[in-house]
Amino acid sequence: MPELPEVEVTRLGFAERIAGARILAVRAGKPLRWPLGIEPGALVGRQVLDVRRRGKYLLVDLDAGLLLMHLGMSGSLRFARDAGTAGAHDHFDLVTDLGTLRLNDPRRFGAVVFVEGESDSRAIKLLGGLGVEPLDALAFRADDFHAALRRRKAPIKQVLLGGDVVVGVGNIYASEALFAAGIRPTLPAARVSLPRATKLHAAVRATLARAVERGGSTLRDFSNIDGQNGHFQLEAKVYARAGQACLVCATPIRKILQGQRSTFYCPTCQK
DNA sequence: AAAAGCCCCTGGATGC
DNA sequence: TGCATCCAGGGGCTTT
């Protein structure tokens, strides 16, 4: 569900609104992927400073410690003055004097984890292995990207998805970026030439940046911070289009399985 | 070190 | 209408 663009759109939607808020109460519903790691009551009285993003994690900075939030496959966050009654899938509320930040996550693959700091062992375990930020032009460079790919024999789609070379590229945008770059998803990463890696580098950046501009994709569960759903149509050229005509050459789009995840591509446009 | 599988969980779509 | 089956945007952990 939420890939980098959806997480970033979520962050942009409430970061400024929650900055400076004082925590009044914390409510934990059903267990999420991991335990919170602190007595909820111990957060009361702390202040929210700002909200950052690393890969698909949101980092909610407090005046003491921070919350790592992950939306998993089906999570979405809302921030509202009056949150109303919690529903069956509302599993975490951060009640502040400026509004309530609420995580809704039917599948509960998401998480909220408190850590004292980014050098906390729990933070390192979750964030330490992450690759570079694709939208950070200084960190994400075509020649470094190509060098990293040369060390990997796995199919390029799975390396993109892995998150240890570059973060944030999920199952939808991996297929879309590879289509934009004209690269077959099954091609071993090490066999992507420098010119083609350069093209893919640009395609990843453009695909993600465009999605952020458009407010993210809404397929199933994702909705933005105000709960709006379906406003943002995914402009997918290959994702979920199996059997349909390629928008460039009319060849039927193919669907294959790679590491238990579906991949879509055009057999004519992608070599 | 890297790659491949497994698994967490619920709900919606599809097929009989 | 009811029930079984399959599928879903992630990613940490364990095993090769």
Side-chain angles (χ1 to χ4, degrees):
Chain A
M1 60 105 16
E3 303 184 29
L4 184 149
E6 290 73 37
V7 178
E8 181 64 9
V9 165
T10 297
R11 189 188 73 81
L12 291 170
F14 80 103
E16 289 186 11
R17 287 201 261 162
I18 203 173
R22 189 68 66 177
I23 298 172
L24 303 177
V26 176
R27 185 192 65 84
K30 283 190 182 180
L32 293 163
R33 180 161 189 173
W34 300 295
L36 180 58
I38 189 173
E39 198 56 44
L43 295 173
V44 173
R46 299 192 195 200
Q47 195 176 13
V48 177
L49 301 182
D50 63 346
V51 185
R52 293 173 291 142
R53 180 187 55 74
R54 180 74 179 98
K56 295 170 192 167
Y57 284 91
L58 286 172
L59 284 61
V60 179
D61 284 307
L62 307 179
D63 52 0
L66 63 151
L67 293 169
L68 306 181
M69 308 188 85
H70 199 290
L71 302 180
M73 290 274 274
S74 58
S76 59
L77 283 172
R78 297 184 62 174
F79 184 68
R81 277 269 177 200
D82 178 13
T85 313
H89 302 303
D90 293 327
H91 300 305
F92 185 84
D93 282 351
L94 192 72
V95 185
T96 78
D97 58 349
L98 297 182
T100 294
L101 182 65
R102 171 170 288 174
L103 173 67
N104 179 276
D105 186 3
R107 292 176 72 180
R108 289 190 281 125
F109 287 177
V112 183
V113 173
F114 174 83
V115 293
E116 299 288 351
E118 284 173 79
S119 52
D120 189 314
S121 64
R122 219 160 159 222
I124 289 173
K125 191 187 282 185
L126 296 177
L127 306 177
L130 297 182
V132 301
E133 286 292 333
L135 298 183
D136 179 343
L138 294 178
F140 188 42
R141 307 197 42 107
D143 46 356
D144 295 338
F145 182 52
H146 177 245
L149 296 185
R150 287 196 58 175
R151 295 191 283 268
R152 308 292 291 270
K153 291 178 182 169
I156 182 63
K157 154 81 177 340
Q158 284 168 267
V159 172
L160 280 181
L161 215 47
D164 50 344
V165 171
V166 58
V167 293
V169 186
N171 208 40
I172 296 178
Y173 299 119
S175 281
E176 293 300 312
L178 286 166
F179 175 77
I183 298 171
R184 181 100 36 142
T186 51
L187 186 69
R191 286 178 45 197
V192 178
S193 67
L194 177 58
R196 304 186 81 204
T198 302
K199 194 166 183 190
L200 180 58
H201 168 267
V204 165
R205 288 180 55 86
T207 303
L208 296 178
R210 167 95 181 135
V212 172
E213 270 175 36
R214 302 282 291 149
S217 310
T218 297
L219 260 62
R220 282 188 170 74
D221 308 291
F222 182 73
S223 55
N224 76 5
I225 199 75
D226 298 313
Q228 294 165 326
N229 208 340
H231 281 226
F232 315 112
Q233 288 307 311
L234 174 67
E235 304 164 355
K237 297 206 167 55
V238 289
Y239 186 82
R241 296 195 66 244
Q244 298 177 46
C246 170
L247 299 173
V248 172
C249 74
T251 303
I253 298 301
R254 275 188 202 161
K255 174 183 179 175
I256 59 171
L257 231 47
Q258 292 183 288
Q260 350 276 96
R261 314 292 300 275
S262 50
T263 299
F264 300 84
Y265 72 98
C266 170
T268 301
C269 296
Q270 296 173 259
K271 300 293 182 191

